[in-house]
């Protein structure tokens, strides 16, 4: 007689949550004993920073990965508390830990986004977990932390959180501390905003400008509202109308909520730029 398997409970529908990932810089350079101590120290600092912020870490759905922890936070978690006080308390605990003479220095990259999350066989699936994984490993974030040697923590938040939360006027969040960066990792492309606690935005811009590329330059202008899905076409940096010669304009089209290309209206010359001829001699043949 064939056994009838019990009906499986329906899968939980995707839900919108705040996601974060924190990664230890240069973890693989440490020996096994030090790696173990760093992991324990990281968990303790996250626990203490959450407790000081009034967040219940026991309710976080945590997915440890050695030197990295990915977490999905409860639905009622205040996003401004995570971006403001939680980041502050984590930076303070990291600074205090690194001030101990015998402790190996720990430097962290932190990424935060909010969006659709679904439970999956190996953890979580959805746009927000993917974005957080790409942001925490973004070359701009790595290079900023490498260039600002006095910094212990570098943070990247999604454009969605920057527009909805950082720019909302909350007292613990200052939009002027953030610098925009275009992130393109694997098939992912989107904007994030970098903040380094204890460093001015100009320091972050300088670090990004000095780092090897290619990737889009930072925004030097004052922060303003921007589309959260403005992903550019492949290239060393996104083109803007300022790049177009006179009589040309750039545009893009949106497919399934993401900007997927640039169209050029007007004439276009393909190839390397031709230097102008010397003032006192003949120029190259056109």
């Amino acid at each position: 007689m064939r056994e009838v398997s019990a009906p499986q409970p329906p899968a939980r529908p995707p839900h919108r949550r705040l996601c974060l990932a924190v990664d230890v810089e240069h973890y693989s350079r440490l020996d096994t004993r030090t790696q173990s101590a760093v992991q324990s120290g990281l968990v303790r600092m996250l626990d203490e920073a959450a407790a000081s912020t009034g967040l219940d870490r026991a309710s976080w759905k945590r997915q440890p990965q050695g030197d990295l922890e990915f977490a999905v936070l409860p639905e009622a978690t205040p996003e401004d508390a995570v971006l403001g006080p939680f980041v502050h308390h984590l930076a303070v605990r990291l600074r205090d830990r690194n001030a101990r003479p015998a402790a190996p220095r720990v430097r962290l990259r932190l990424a935060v986004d909010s969006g659709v999350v679904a439970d999956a066989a190996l953890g979580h699936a959805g746009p927000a977990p993917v974005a957080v994984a790409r942001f925490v490993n973004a070359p701009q974030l790595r290079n900023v932390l490498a260039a600002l040697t006095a910094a212990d923590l570098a943070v990247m938040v999604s454009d969605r959180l920057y527009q909805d939360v950082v720019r909302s006027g909350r007292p613990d969040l200052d939009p002027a501390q953030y610098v925009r960066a275009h992130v393109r990792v694997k098939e992912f492309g989107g904007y994030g905003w970098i903040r380094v606690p204890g460093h001015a935005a100009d320091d972050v811009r300088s670090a990004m400008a000095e780092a090897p590329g290619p990737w889009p330059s930072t925004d030097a202008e004052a922060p303003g509202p921007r589309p959260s899905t403005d992903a550019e076409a492949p290239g060393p940096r996104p083109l803007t109308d300022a790049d177009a010669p006179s009589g040309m304009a750039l545009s893009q089209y949106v497919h399934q909520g993401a900007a997927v290309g640039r169209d050029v209206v007007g004439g276009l010359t393909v190839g390397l730029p031709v230097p102008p001829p010397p003032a006192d001699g003949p120029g190259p043949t056109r």
Side-chain angles (χ1 to χ4, degrees):
M1 185 176 179
R2 190 177 66 177
E3 293 184 1
V4 179
S5 58
Q8 297 296 319
R12 293 184 58 190
H15 43 277
R16 187 166 297 276
R17 294 287 188 272
L18 192 67
C19 300
L20 65 82
V22 58
D23 200 352
V24 179
E25 186 79 353
H26 298 319
Y27 175 84
S28 60
R29 299 181 183 180
L30 307 175
D31 58 44
T32 302
R33 181 177 179 181
T34 306
Q35 287 180 351
S36 179
V38 167
Q39 287 189 32
S40 298
L42 175 59
V43 172
R44 182 167 54 254
M45 288 187 292
L46 292 171
D47 289 346
E48 292 174 353
S52 297
T53 310
L55 303 174
D56 180 16
R57 277 264 290 169
S59 64
W60 293 17
K61 291 186 175 181
R62 297 160 52 190
Q63 190 174 330
Q65 301 173 28
D67 60 331
L68 181 147
E69 179 181 301
F70 170 79
V72 178
L73 279 58
E75 186 175 7
T77 302
E79 296 170 338
D80 58 324
V82 174
L83 300 185
F86 175 77
V87 169
H88 168 74
H89 290 302
L90 180 60
V92 169
R93 276 150 183 78
L94 193 55
R95 181 196 64 201
D96 292 346
R97 183 198 183 282
N98 288 337
R100 302 172 191 167
R105 188 180 182 193
V106 174
R107 308 179 78 207
L108 301 177
R109 304 187 313 277
L110 174 67
V112 192
D113 192 12
S114 66
V116 173
V117 181
D119 296 332
L122 298 179
H124 300 89
V130 171
V132 162
R134 301 300 180 248
F135 284 144
V136 81
N137 288 303
Q140 294 96 323
L141 194 64
R142 290 180 178 274
N143 280 279
V144 164
L145 193 58
L148 300 179
T149 56
D152 293 324
L153 176 65
V155 181
M156 180 176 281
V157 305
S158 67
D159 185 65
R160 176 177 20 248
L161 284 176
Y162 176 83
Q163 303 298 342
D164 293 347
V165 182
V166 175
R167 297 187 66 249
S168 62
R170 291 170 171 83
D172 293 324
L173 299 173
D174 180 6
Q177 294 181 350
Y178 293 78
V179 176
R180 191 175 72 142
H182 183 259
V183 177
R184 181 170 294 280
V185 181
K186 299 182 179 180
E187 297 83 8
F188 174 85
Y191 281 109
W193 293 79
I194 298 177
R195 175 195 168 204
V196 179
H199 287 72
D202 285 343
D203 297 334
V204 177
R205 291 190 184 94
S206 297
M208 291 179 65
E210 295 169 3
W215 49 66
S217 59
T218 63
D219 281 348
E221 72 272 11
R226 303 185 183 278
S228 61
T229 56
D230 189 11
E232 308 292 348
R237 67 176 178 84
L239 297 174
T240 67
D241 288 342
D243 297 301
S246 177
M248 288 174 54
L250 300 175
S251 63
Q252 66 180 5
Y253 65 95
V254 177
H255 176 64
Q256 295 182 349
V260 295
R262 287 275 182 177
D263 298 323
V264 181
V265 180
L268 174 64
T269 301
V270 178
L272 296 175
V274 178
D280 54 354
T285 304
R286 298 278 179 166

